[in-house]
Amino acid sequence: MAIELTETAVAAAIDHAILKPDLTRADVDRELDVAAEWGVFSVCVRPSDVSYAVRRLAGTAVAVGTVIGFPHGTTSTAAKVAELRQAHEDGASEFDMVVHIGALLGGEDERVVSDIRTVVDAAGGLVTKVILETSFLDDEQIVRGSRLAEAGGATFVKTSTGFAGGGATAEHIALMRRSVSPAVQVKASGGVRGLEAAVAMLEAGATRLGTSASAIILGELRARAAGGPATGTEDAGSY
């Protein structure tokens, strides 16, 4: 698909991931500064960092999102709802929930949809993204998971947590895009660490990118526009 490859357009597709479990407050500060400097759409932070991120990003246009049931998806639905409500109270406006992966693999479609629907309802119309963890799934399961996410009312279906091996591929993004209606968007996450990978995901149908390599991606794009060497070479981490 045709995409706009300007720095502004690509930044507007990025959820800057700040999710590694060993991040200190100083590390979080540095990543929040990266998000603000490059003008990405949002940060996706650990639940315990939501209120802090909201305060620190006040006055910028960067939204704050968080993860629910992360990274395994096996907490109870009630726990996911409680986590979302706390995050919303703390100021998060987007929620990336992990599907119950075992239920999806086991063909418990009604259980999967019920889990998603209950969390979506608790979000009260705010953006919800359902993470399938595609590295565990075959193509049929990716198609079914994508359709179950739509049946549950999700705004997005998303590839990966970034913490289970593997990650987003253009082929999986294209498959997910074909599996849902235009009302549902697709988010690529896991392994999107440079401009080439970002462009491949966007061309395959992703409208949002989850990455900790925002400075690298946007630095490469800025350098390309200026005809100079790449910038923004911070450590991209594992996400």
Side-chain angles (χ1 to χ4, degrees), residues 131-151:
I131 305 170
L132 299 183
E133 205 66 281
T134 51
S135 62
F136 292 149
L137 309 177
D138 61 27
D139 284 0
E140 181 278 329
Q141 291 161 340
I142 291 170
V143 170
R144 184 161 49 84
S146 298
R147 292 174 176 167
L148 294 176
E150 179 164 17

Side-chain angles (χ1 to χ4, degrees), residues 4-16 34-43 61-63 195 198 202 207-209 211 214-215 217-219 221-222:
E4 183 184 354
L5 273 183
T6 64
E7 184 179 326
T8 298
V10 175
I14 290 178
D15 293 341
H16 185 66
V34 167
E37 176 186 352
W38 289 94
V40 299
F41 180 82
S42 78
V43 292
V62 180
L195 181 59
L202 294 169
T207 51
R208 201 76 69 83
L209 306 171
T211 179
S214 305
I217 293 166
L218 296 170
L221 187 56
R222 182 177 293 180

Side-chain angles (χ1 to χ4, degrees), residues 55-163:
R55 293 193 303 273
R56 206 167 191 284
L57 290 171
T60 76
V62 180
V64 176
T66 193
V67 287
I68 304 297
F70 195 84
H72 300 127
T74 52
T75 50
S76 68
T77 301
K80 289 178 179 178
V81 167
E83 192 170 28
L84 184 146
R85 287 176 174 159
Q86 181 64 59
H88 187 196
E89 183 178 321
D90 289 343
S93 57
E94 298 200 352
F95 310 96
D96 294 30
M97 70 167 286
V98 186
V99 75
H100 193 298
I101 299 163
L104 177 59
L105 286 168
E108 297 180 80
D109 291 4
E110 291 184 6
R111 182 182 180 191
V112 171
V113 172
S114 176
D115 185 53
I116 295 168
R117 170 61 66 186
T118 304
V119 173
V120 168
D121 287 347
L126 295 175
V127 170
T128 51
K129 312 183 193 99
V130 174
I131 305 170
L132 299 183
E133 205 66 281
T134 51
S135 62
F136 292 149
L137 309 177
D138 61 27
D139 284 0
E140 181 278 329
Q141 291 161 340
I142 291 170
V143 170
R144 184 161 49 84
S146 298
R147 292 174 176 167
L148 294 176
E150 179 164 17
T155 317
F156 282 80
V157 61
K158 174 180 171 182
T159 55
S160 317
T161 63
F163 293 93

